[in-house]
Amino acid sequence: MTNAFGLNLPDYPWDRLTEYRNRAAEHPDGVCDLSIGTPVDPTPEVIRRALSDAGDAHGYPTTAGTAQLREAIAWWYENWHSVQLDPATEILPTVGSKELVAWLPTLLGLRERGLAVACPSAAYPTYEMGATIAGVECRRLDAAQIVDGESLDGVGLLWINTPSNPTGEVLDVDTIAEVVRRARAAGVVVASDECYGLLNWESDEPAPSVLAAAGESNAGVLSVYSMSKQSNLAGYRAAFVAGDAELISDLTRSRKHAGMIVPFPIQEAMVAGLRDTEHVLAQKETYRSRREQLRTGLEEYGFRIDHSTAGLYLWSTADKNCWESLADLAELGIVAGPGEFYGAAAADHVRIALTATDERIRAAAERLRAAAR
């Protein structure tokens, strides 16, 4: 539907779940909503205290972020990914990662240059929405296709997402490095959405960052990260982008004009959260327990779990259309995310989120096991 601004925007997809939510809500023990990955656990005290202490924020914050925040982000990359960055030139805080994803094609001027966006075949919908807002084409293109030689002609921005939302797939360093090499040769910016990177279930190490695979130079490469998942900060809108110094400079300049500024108290809270690793590791273990319970229940019920080696979702299929699976789950009082929302290639999967309370996760797993008996 074309809106008043001339943009052809679809209806918000999650509204299509209403009938399934209503059916699930009829369950006598209540609904287990595993559809949207919004954190439910408390924001760590160290972060809340920093936010409160910074409450006297009478002056304007800076778009580039405080020196302390940029240094904390640089420390975070070095601590978790062994990547060294220049805090002054290669880092920029953002108002959550979704706004950057949505506006990056516009800020890069892709329409004026006649260039398209490319993103994975099963992908976070905002990659395509960012192309729509910018008035450019969005192509579905997986990393494996690029490695196999698929052309990047006409593409200006290539999104990779590792770990993937929705699939939980993690790209290895060699694959990422080859994607970067081919993109550079074609003059294409690579932006890697890595917000689930610390929630890697098959290793104690984080999933690889594009900045660790980019070689000695970050030219043409951006890493995008959100603290929402690792620190239960979805309500803070706390995120950042790092990489190519020239791109960071251009983005900072554009964002200054547009007023895209992270509030100062949030910047201070980010510093505290980035410097504290204890709460991140504790939250990972909470999710690990929920994941094991749900995985067991889903597999006993008859779902197959594909990929799902990192992140906050179990990418599940019963080898039938996702809407049929949603109807089956709704009969058990469970709401999931339809794979169709993430692209036509994902239409036979449902996305099951780990972001519910321990009690609701346990209830969902018990219902699945009981239905299988």
Side-chain angles (χ1 to χ4, degrees):
M1 179 182 298
T2 302
N3 68 8
F5 304 103
L7 295 176
N8 187 21
L9 302 181
D11 292 334
Y12 192 60
W14 291 98
D15 293 342
R16 293 177 60 191
L17 284 184
T18 299
E19 67 174 282
Y20 301 93
R21 293 187 190 280
N22 291 342
R23 181 68 188 93
E26 296 174 2
H27 193 280
D29 187 36
V31 65
C32 298
D33 192 342
L34 310 179
S35 60
I36 299 178
T38 186
V40 299
D41 299 308
T43 300
E45 176 60 27
V46 65
I47 297 175
R48 287 185 282 166
R49 187 167 57 249
L51 180 74
S52 177
D53 289 347
D56 183 19
H58 46 269
Y60 288 112
T62 60
T63 300
T66 65
Q68 292 81 6
L69 175 55
R70 294 195 305 273
E71 288 164 2
I73 294 169
W75 178 88
W76 184 90
Y77 274 102
E78 184 167 12
N79 180 65
W80 291 105
H81 293 293
S82 300
V83 168
Q84 293 188 333
L85 295 168
D86 180 357
T89 64
E90 295 182 310
I91 288 169
L92 175 66
T94 66
V95 190
S97 60
K98 184 173 183 177
E99 65 93 345
L100 180 74
V101 172
W103 288 106
L104 188 57
T106 297
L107 296 178
L108 291 177
L110 296 191
R111 182 176 182 179
E112 291 77 7
R113 295 156 57 199
L115 296 173
V117 172
C119 72
S121 58
Y124 181 47
T126 308
Y127 305 136
E128 186 168 12
M129 186 53 57
T132 299
I133 291 170
V136 302
E137 177 190 0
C138 182
R139 301 180 192 171
R140 298 284 178 158
L141 195 57
D142 291 321
Q145 294 174 272
I146 298 168
V147 170
D148 287 344
E150 188 80 18
S151 174
L152 288 168
D153 287 350
V155 174
L157 171 63
L158 170 66
W159 281 105
I160 60 174
N161 179 205
T162 178
S164 166
N165 171 18
T167 72
E169 181 181 13
V170 175
L171 300 178
D172 62 71
V173 171
D174 290 341
T175 296
I176 299 171
E178 181 61 13
V179 168
V180 170
R181 188 188 72 78
R182 290 178 179 270
R184 281 174 171 163
V188 176
V189 172
V190 177
S192 179
D193 183 351
E194 302 172 349
C195 70
Y196 299 92
L198 300 191
L199 297 169
N200 192 0
W201 304 118
E202 296 192 344
S203 172
D204 291 333
E205 297 298 318
S209 170
V210 70
L211 298 182
E216 296 182 359
S217 167
N218 292 326
V221 173
L222 296 172
S223 165
V224 179
Y225 193 80
S226 167
M227 296 176 67
S228 296
K229 318 303 180 185
Q230 69 163 54
S231 301
N232 301 324
L233 283 187
Y236 282 52
R237 313 312 300 135
F240 46 87
V241 58
D244 184 312
E246 184 175 349
L247 289 173
I248 294 295
S249 176
D250 289 343
L251 290 172
T252 303
R253 186 181 308 108
S254 298
R255 293 170 69 85
K256 284 180 179 179
H257 286 293
M260 295 176 174
I261 308 171
V262 178
F264 177 75
I266 301 298
Q267 294 191 34
E268 290 294 279
M270 289 174 69
V271 172
L274 291 164
R275 295 284 188 181
D276 183 79
T277 59
E278 183 177 347
H279 80 272
V280 177
L281 297 174
Q283 187 63 48
K284 181 178 180 180
E285 292 311 305
T286 296
Y287 282 132
R288 188 190 300 277
S289 174
R290 293 171 182 167
R291 179 179 183 272
E292 290 307 311
Q293 291 182 69
L294 266 182
R295 183 179 190 117
T296 299
L298 287 164
E299 290 179 336
E300 287 188 20
Y301 183 77
F303 279 100
R304 184 182 75 247
I305 311 300
D306 291 334
H307 301 303
S308 305
T309 55
L312 291 181
Y313 311 104
L314 292 170
W315 190 233
S316 311
T317 183
D319 290 321
K320 56 186 175 182
N321 184 270
C322 61
W323 297 103
E324 295 181 56
S325 294
L326 284 178
D328 293 341
L329 290 169
E331 292 297 320
L332 303 179
I334 298 170
V335 184
E340 184 181 294
F341 285 3
Y342 304 93
D348 63 349
H349 282 73
V350 291
R351 194 191 74 168
I352 311 287
L354 310 181
T355 49
T357 64
D358 290 343
E359 185 274 331
R360 288 290 86 183
I361 293 288
R362 185 165 54 250
E366 288 173 355
R367 293 176 195 180
L368 289 161
R369 287 195 293 268
R373 289 196 286 268

